Amino acid sequence: MNKKRFFKYKNLPVFSLLFLTACIENAPMDSLSPAGPYARQIDDLFWLTFWIAVGVFFIVQGALIFSVFYFRDMPGKPEPKQIHGNNVLELMWTIIPILILAAIAVPTVRTIFDLAREPEGALKIEVIGHQWWFEYKYPDYGITTANVLVIPADTPVRLEMWSNDVLHNYWVPKLNGKRYLVPGQKTYLNLQADSPDEFWAQCGEYCGLSHSKMRGRVLSLNQEDFENWVNNQKLNANKELPEGTLAAEGQQVYLNAGCTQCHVIDGVWDVQGDRIAPNLTHFANRNVFAGAALKNNKENLTKWLANPAEIKPGTFMPNLELTEKEIEALIAYLGTLK
Ligand code: CUA
């Protein structure tokens, strides 16, 4: 039979390269470079367990290799002493693994409880999973935003999470482990970043066609920048757009082409109740869109508005058959939503 083999020696360089990609430094989704206390606690536990496993590996393999050579059969060599049923040895290899497991279990359980506890003075933010993007609400400030989670640096944040449709999973590798977003049930996750920085998030549970494009960003700001951000987010988008400008035309496209069916812009079209698409009030302030799958720039917006499903298969955003002129106007208007 001529079965195709997955691994061939001539492909070794390819496999080695793939393997080496795991060693890239400063990768945005690197779970081995924690940037906050929660992620660091998990990291510490990982390394403790890792080094214990390394010790076990070398002791067991060492004993095996030693036995293979020292007790190998040779002409004239008597059979080595048999140890089957030796009580002392049996006790030893029962007790030692118990001690090793205890050495791992105690800090593991402590970490689980530490990570689950609600931190004092934490900022509360709601995270709602949608196919395929994350929505964020700040109940203390009355803010609704999407894709980019903005948090104050060096301050604990308590996420209260659920899903609007199917199972999702919230994961910011540099700030904490994963946590499920469940329809009809709340789950909680703590985040804290040491300093102002940008982190990547990813949905960690297969949730449909565009699961891999359900990404996010976490932006941690220093206290002053965060307060400015909050104050700006509280403003609505009801500002004068000089008549005849492209942006004013774009606002008419937003109001009349069908966008308002799903997208709220506070002060312009703010229907009460939950909508299935991101709130666009401060769209221009976010550096990514479409579930953080795309950088927020004119080129990407043009592609997206012309045919959303080409970029995110299965997306609920319909192709509105907008003309090039309408798309250009809409992008000019979106640019004013700061
Ligand atoms: Cu949401 Cu995968």
Side-chain angles (χ1 to χ4, degrees), residues 129-134 165-169 202-208 210-214:
H130 297 260
Q131 280 172 318
W132 288 276
W133 57 285
F134 292 109
D165 36 53
V166 300
L167 270 185
H168 299 281
N169 190 303
Q202 167 71 46
C203 177
E205 174 70 21
Y206 181 71
C207 54
S210 281
H211 151 71
S212 67
K213 297 189 170 167
M214 184 165 172

Short mmCIF file of all heavy atoms in Angstrom, two decimals, residues 129-134 165-169 202-208 210-214, ligand 1:
data_model
loop_
_atom_site.label_atom_id
_atom_site.label_comp_id
_atom_site.label_asym_id
_atom_site.label_seq_id
_atom_site.Cartn_x
_atom_site.Cartn_y
_atom_site.Cartn_z
N GLY A 129 -20.36 38.87 23.93
CA GLY A 129 -19.89 38.21 22.71
C GLY A 129 -20.97 38.19 21.64
O GLY A 129 -22.14 37.93 21.93
N HIS A 130 -20.60 38.53 20.43
CA HIS A 130 -21.49 38.46 19.28
C HIS A 130 -20.76 37.71 18.17
O HIS A 130 -19.53 37.74 18.11
CB HIS A 130 -21.81 39.86 18.74
CG HIS A 130 -22.53 40.76 19.70
ND1 HIS A 130 -23.89 40.98 19.65
CD2 HIS A 130 -22.08 41.51 20.74
CE1 HIS A 130 -24.24 41.84 20.60
NE2 HIS A 130 -23.16 42.18 21.28
N GLN A 131 -21.50 37.11 17.25
CA GLN A 131 -20.86 36.58 16.05
C GLN A 131 -20.57 37.75 15.12
O GLN A 131 -21.53 38.33 14.60
CB GLN A 131 -21.76 35.57 15.36
CG GLN A 131 -21.72 34.19 16.03
CD GLN A 131 -22.76 33.26 15.47
OE1 GLN A 131 -23.91 33.66 15.24
NE2 GLN A 131 -22.42 32.02 15.25
N TRP A 132 -19.35 38.26 14.87
CA TRP A 132 -18.10 37.83 15.42
C TRP A 132 -17.35 39.05 15.88
O TRP A 132 -16.44 39.52 15.20
CB TRP A 132 -17.33 37.05 14.35
CG TRP A 132 -17.94 35.71 14.10
CD1 TRP A 132 -17.70 34.56 14.81
CD2 TRP A 132 -18.88 35.34 13.09
NE1 TRP A 132 -18.45 33.50 14.30
CE2 TRP A 132 -19.18 33.97 13.24
CE3 TRP A 132 -19.52 36.05 12.08
CZ2 TRP A 132 -20.08 33.30 12.43
CZ3 TRP A 132 -20.42 35.37 11.26
CH2 TRP A 132 -20.67 34.00 11.45
N TRP A 133 -17.72 39.57 17.04
CA TRP A 133 -17.05 40.75 17.59
C TRP A 133 -17.40 40.87 19.07
O TRP A 133 -18.37 40.27 19.54
CB TRP A 133 -17.48 42.03 16.84
CG TRP A 133 -18.97 42.26 16.84
CD1 TRP A 133 -19.90 41.58 16.09
CD2 TRP A 133 -19.71 43.17 17.63
NE1 TRP A 133 -21.16 42.03 16.37
CE2 TRP A 133 -21.08 43.02 17.30
CE3 TRP A 133 -19.35 44.14 18.58
CZ2 TRP A 133 -22.10 43.77 17.91
CZ3 TRP A 133 -20.36 44.89 19.18
CH2 TRP A 133 -21.72 44.69 18.83
N PHE A 134 -16.59 41.61 19.79
CA PHE A 134 -16.83 41.82 21.22
C PHE A 134 -17.39 43.22 21.47
O PHE A 134 -16.85 44.21 20.96
CB PHE A 134 -15.54 41.65 22.03
CG PHE A 134 -15.01 40.25 22.05
CD1 PHE A 134 -13.86 39.91 21.35
CD2 PHE A 134 -15.67 39.24 22.77
CE1 PHE A 134 -13.36 38.61 21.36
CE2 PHE A 134 -15.18 37.94 22.79
CZ PHE A 134 -14.03 37.62 22.08
N ASP A 165 -25.27 35.14 21.51
CA ASP A 165 -25.72 34.09 20.60
C ASP A 165 -25.15 32.71 20.99
O ASP A 165 -25.78 31.97 21.72
CB ASP A 165 -25.40 34.45 19.14
CG ASP A 165 -24.08 35.20 19.00
OD1 ASP A 165 -23.07 34.69 19.49
OD2 ASP A 165 -24.07 36.29 18.37
N VAL A 166 -23.96 32.39 20.53
CA VAL A 166 -23.38 31.07 20.79
C VAL A 166 -22.22 31.21 21.79
O VAL A 166 -21.91 32.30 22.23
CB VAL A 166 -22.86 30.42 19.49
CG1 VAL A 166 -23.98 30.23 18.50
CG2 VAL A 166 -21.75 31.27 18.87
N LEU A 167 -21.59 30.10 22.14
CA LEU A 167 -20.44 30.13 23.05
C LEU A 167 -19.27 30.89 22.40
O LEU A 167 -18.92 30.61 21.26
CB LEU A 167 -19.95 28.71 23.34
CG LEU A 167 -20.51 27.93 24.51
CD1 LEU A 167 -19.75 26.62 24.63
CD2 LEU A 167 -20.40 28.70 25.81
N HIS A 168 -18.71 31.83 23.14
CA HIS A 168 -17.46 32.47 22.73
C HIS A 168 -16.49 32.32 23.90
O HIS A 168 -16.84 31.76 24.94
CB HIS A 168 -17.67 33.95 22.42
CG HIS A 168 -18.62 34.22 21.31
ND1 HIS A 168 -18.29 34.10 19.98
CD2 HIS A 168 -19.93 34.58 21.32
CE1 HIS A 168 -19.35 34.39 19.23
NE2 HIS A 168 -20.35 34.69 20.01
N ASN A 169 -15.29 32.83 23.72
CA ASN A 169 -14.30 32.71 24.78
C ASN A 169 -13.37 33.92 24.71
O ASN A 169 -12.85 34.24 23.65
CB ASN A 169 -13.51 31.40 24.57
CG ASN A 169 -12.62 31.07 25.73
OD1 ASN A 169 -11.77 31.86 26.12
ND2 ASN A 169 -12.80 29.89 26.28
N GLN A 202 -8.37 37.46 21.46
CA GLN A 202 -8.86 36.53 20.44
C GLN A 202 -9.97 35.70 21.05
O GLN A 202 -9.87 35.29 22.21
CB GLN A 202 -7.70 35.63 19.98
CG GLN A 202 -8.10 34.42 19.16
CD GLN A 202 -8.58 34.79 17.76
OE1 GLN A 202 -7.96 35.60 17.07
NE2 GLN A 202 -9.71 34.22 17.34
N CYS A 203 -11.01 35.44 20.28
CA CYS A 203 -12.03 34.49 20.73
C CYS A 203 -11.38 33.11 20.75
O CYS A 203 -10.76 32.70 19.78
CB CYS A 203 -13.23 34.52 19.81
SG CYS A 203 -14.49 33.30 20.27
N GLY A 204 -11.52 32.42 21.88
CA GLY A 204 -10.82 31.14 22.04
C GLY A 204 -11.71 29.93 21.91
O GLY A 204 -11.33 28.84 22.33
N GLU A 205 -12.90 30.10 21.35
CA GLU A 205 -13.80 28.96 21.20
C GLU A 205 -14.41 29.02 19.81
O GLU A 205 -14.91 30.07 19.41
CB GLU A 205 -14.91 29.02 22.27
CG GLU A 205 -16.00 27.98 22.13
CD GLU A 205 -15.52 26.57 22.45
OE1 GLU A 205 -14.50 26.44 23.15
OE2 GLU A 205 -16.16 25.62 21.98
N TYR A 206 -14.38 27.90 19.09
CA TYR A 206 -14.94 27.91 17.74
C TYR A 206 -16.41 28.30 17.79
O TYR A 206 -17.21 27.67 18.48
CB TYR A 206 -14.78 26.54 17.06
CG TYR A 206 -15.34 26.59 15.67
CD1 TYR A 206 -14.68 27.30 14.68
CD2 TYR A 206 -16.56 26.00 15.36
CE1 TYR A 206 -15.21 27.41 13.41
CE2 TYR A 206 -17.10 26.10 14.10
CZ TYR A 206 -16.42 26.80 13.13
OH TYR A 206 -16.95 26.93 11.88
N CYS A 207 -16.77 29.39 17.08
CA CYS A 207 -18.11 29.94 17.22
C CYS A 207 -18.75 30.21 15.86
O CYS A 207 -19.67 31.01 15.74
CB CYS A 207 -18.06 31.22 18.05
SG CYS A 207 -16.89 32.43 17.40
N GLY A 208 -18.28 29.54 14.82
CA GLY A 208 -18.88 29.73 13.51
C GLY A 208 -17.84 30.16 12.48
O GLY A 208 -16.65 30.26 12.78
N SER A 210 -16.61 32.79 11.02
CA SER A 210 -15.55 33.80 11.16
C SER A 210 -14.95 33.85 12.56
O SER A 210 -14.47 34.88 13.01
CB SER A 210 -16.08 35.18 10.75
OG SER A 210 -16.09 35.28 9.34
N HIS A 211 -14.94 32.69 13.22
CA HIS A 211 -14.35 32.61 14.56
C HIS A 211 -12.91 33.13 14.58
O HIS A 211 -12.53 33.89 15.47
CB HIS A 211 -14.39 31.16 15.06
CG HIS A 211 -13.30 30.80 16.00
ND1 HIS A 211 -13.27 31.28 17.29
CD2 HIS A 211 -12.17 30.06 15.85
CE1 HIS A 211 -12.17 30.82 17.88
NE2 HIS A 211 -11.50 30.10 17.04
N SER A 212 -12.13 32.74 13.57
CA SER A 212 -10.72 33.14 13.58
C SER A 212 -10.57 34.66 13.43
O SER A 212 -9.54 35.23 13.75
CB SER A 212 -9.95 32.43 12.47
OG SER A 212 -10.41 32.88 11.21
N LYS A 213 -11.64 35.31 12.92
CA LYS A 213 -11.57 36.77 12.75
C LYS A 213 -12.27 37.50 13.88
O LYS A 213 -12.52 38.70 13.78
CB LYS A 213 -12.14 37.15 11.40
CG LYS A 213 -11.30 36.53 10.31
CD LYS A 213 -11.63 37.01 8.94
CE LYS A 213 -10.55 36.50 7.98
NZ LYS A 213 -10.94 36.65 6.60
N MET A 214 -12.61 36.78 14.93
CA MET A 214 -13.21 37.42 16.11
C MET A 214 -12.06 37.76 17.05
O MET A 214 -11.70 36.99 17.92
CB MET A 214 -14.21 36.47 16.77
CG MET A 214 -14.94 37.09 17.93
SD MET A 214 -16.35 36.10 18.38
CE MET A 214 -16.86 36.93 19.87
CU1 CUA B 1 -16.41 33.84 19.10
CU2 CUA B 1 -14.93 32.10 18.37
#
